[in-house]
Amino acid sequence: MKLTWLRPSDAFPSLNEQTYYDTEVPGLVAASDTISVDQLIRAYQGGIFPWYSEEQPVLWWSPDPRMVLIPSELKISKNLAKKIRQILRDPDWEIRVNTDFINTIMSCANQNRAGQNGTWITHAVLQAYSELHQQGLAHSVETYYQNQCVGGLYCVNLGKMVYGESMFAKVTDASKLALAALCAWCIAQDIGMIDCQQETEHLKSLGGRPIPRHDFLSHLAQNCGKDRIHWDFNKAILKHWG
């Protein structure tokens, strides 16, 4: 079966039907020349996400199994718990939401990662997700120390589904603090799953785990809606972790 090549308005392949898989690139379901906000929304609604390099066409993926993080299962190490207690007391530390989305996504793009050369956050990706943010569907959670952004993450939110995209840290545990805040907020909002897309050792260390794609799609069908959730929280949300 030939890999589906998408035009901007084309529908993504249904993952409930036979889907093309190359044994060398499992999870690849489609490719396109461009990436747009409309495509991104339709992709996330169908359990598909983009991941590619600058010199490649836009590649759309839906791996099986799917890596997810159940917010209540976030692993809070002793050191991170100590850090949370510290920043809750120290006014120099802040957690902000959507203060500087562009800086957050650019910092994620520039983060050095072991075993990776370059970044999948291309100029086209930056533009598309920035437009998604302007529509209130992409968000950033940022960690600040003495009014300087030292870490954070960005994600997509559709209904009761949160899709984690990328994190960065300029000081130790800064991205984990943002993730801990996000997970605590998800618990408060009755959001039961954060999509982490692909399995990595780092995600496993934070409590992420792979689940069958069928289970992920079932959860998606029940929780990916059009209702908007108001994104407004600060470091006080970290009290959830005790």
Side-chain angles (χ1 to χ4, degrees):
M1 185 175 178
K2 188 177 180 180
L3 176 67
T4 300
W5 195 274
L6 301 173
R7 293 169 299 184
S9 60
D10 285 346
F12 284 91
S14 172
L15 300 182
N16 294 319
E17 300 172 358
Q18 185 179 6
T19 304
Y20 173 84
Y21 279 108
D22 187 314
T23 55
E24 294 185 0
V25 282
L28 178 62
V29 297
S32 64
D33 288 321
T34 61
I35 183 172
S36 69
V37 169
D38 288 343
Q39 282 179 311
L40 283 172
I41 293 173
R42 286 187 280 113
Y44 284 117
Q45 289 172 335
I48 297 168
F49 62 89
W51 185 50
Y52 68 106
S53 300
E54 190 74 61
E55 68 277 5
Q56 296 176 321
V58 181
L59 303 177
W60 300 91
W61 303 80
S62 182
D64 188 7
R66 185 73 164 235
M67 193 70 170
V68 303
L69 173 62
I70 308 304
S72 60
E73 295 179 0
L74 177 69
K75 291 183 179 178
I76 303 293
S77 66
K78 290 183 179 179
N79 286 339
L80 183 57
K82 180 179 179 180
K83 190 73 173 182
I84 288 172
R85 292 193 294 271
Q86 175 190 342
I87 76 163
L88 284 171
R89 295 191 303 266
D90 189 343
D92 282 340
W93 286 92
E94 298 177 80
I95 297 291
R96 302 180 188 176
V97 177
N98 292 328
T99 299
D100 196 342
F101 182 86
I102 298 299
N103 175 65
T104 300
I105 191 172
M106 291 184 66
S107 296
C108 289
N110 294 326
Q111 179 80 53
N112 291 324
R113 305 181 195 279
Q116 293 187 18
N117 295 320
T119 177
W120 73 276
I121 304 174
T122 66
H123 177 74
V125 166
L126 175 62
Q127 182 176 354
Y129 280 85
S130 296
E131 292 179 18
L132 206 59
H133 171 65
Q134 291 169 10
Q135 293 189 18
L137 298 175
H139 305 273
S140 58
V141 181
E142 308 136 14
T143 304
Y144 280 78
Y145 179 68
Q146 294 183 341
N147 212 36
Q148 297 294 316
C149 186
V150 294
L153 59 85
Y154 77 99
C155 59
V156 173
N157 173 217
L158 299 175
K160 292 284 189 176
M161 274 298 303
V162 168
Y163 307 82
E165 290 300 321
S166 189
M167 303 190 297
F168 81 96
K170 297 180 179 179
V171 301
T172 302
D173 288 338
S175 60
K176 292 179 182 178
L177 290 167
L179 180 61
L182 174 63
C183 286
W185 178 80
C186 285
I187 293 168
Q189 298 295 328
D190 194 30
I191 294 173
M193 181 181 292
I194 299 174
D195 176 28
C196 299
Q197 300 176 348
Q198 301 188 77
E199 184 173 353
T200 67
E201 289 301 316
H202 179 62
L203 288 171
K204 287 172 64 177
S205 73
L206 295 173
R209 55 185 170 91
I211 64 173
R213 187 177 67 177
H214 177 269
D215 292 351
F216 174 75
L217 294 177
S218 294
H219 182 87
L220 191 66
Q222 297 176 36
N223 292 278
C224 181
K226 295 182 179 179
D227 294 340
R228 300 291 182 96
I229 299 176
H230 185 51
W231 282 67
D232 183 17
F233 56 93
N234 55 39
K235 70 179 183 180
I237 197 75
L238 291 169
K239 292 178 181 178
H240 170 84
W241 303 110

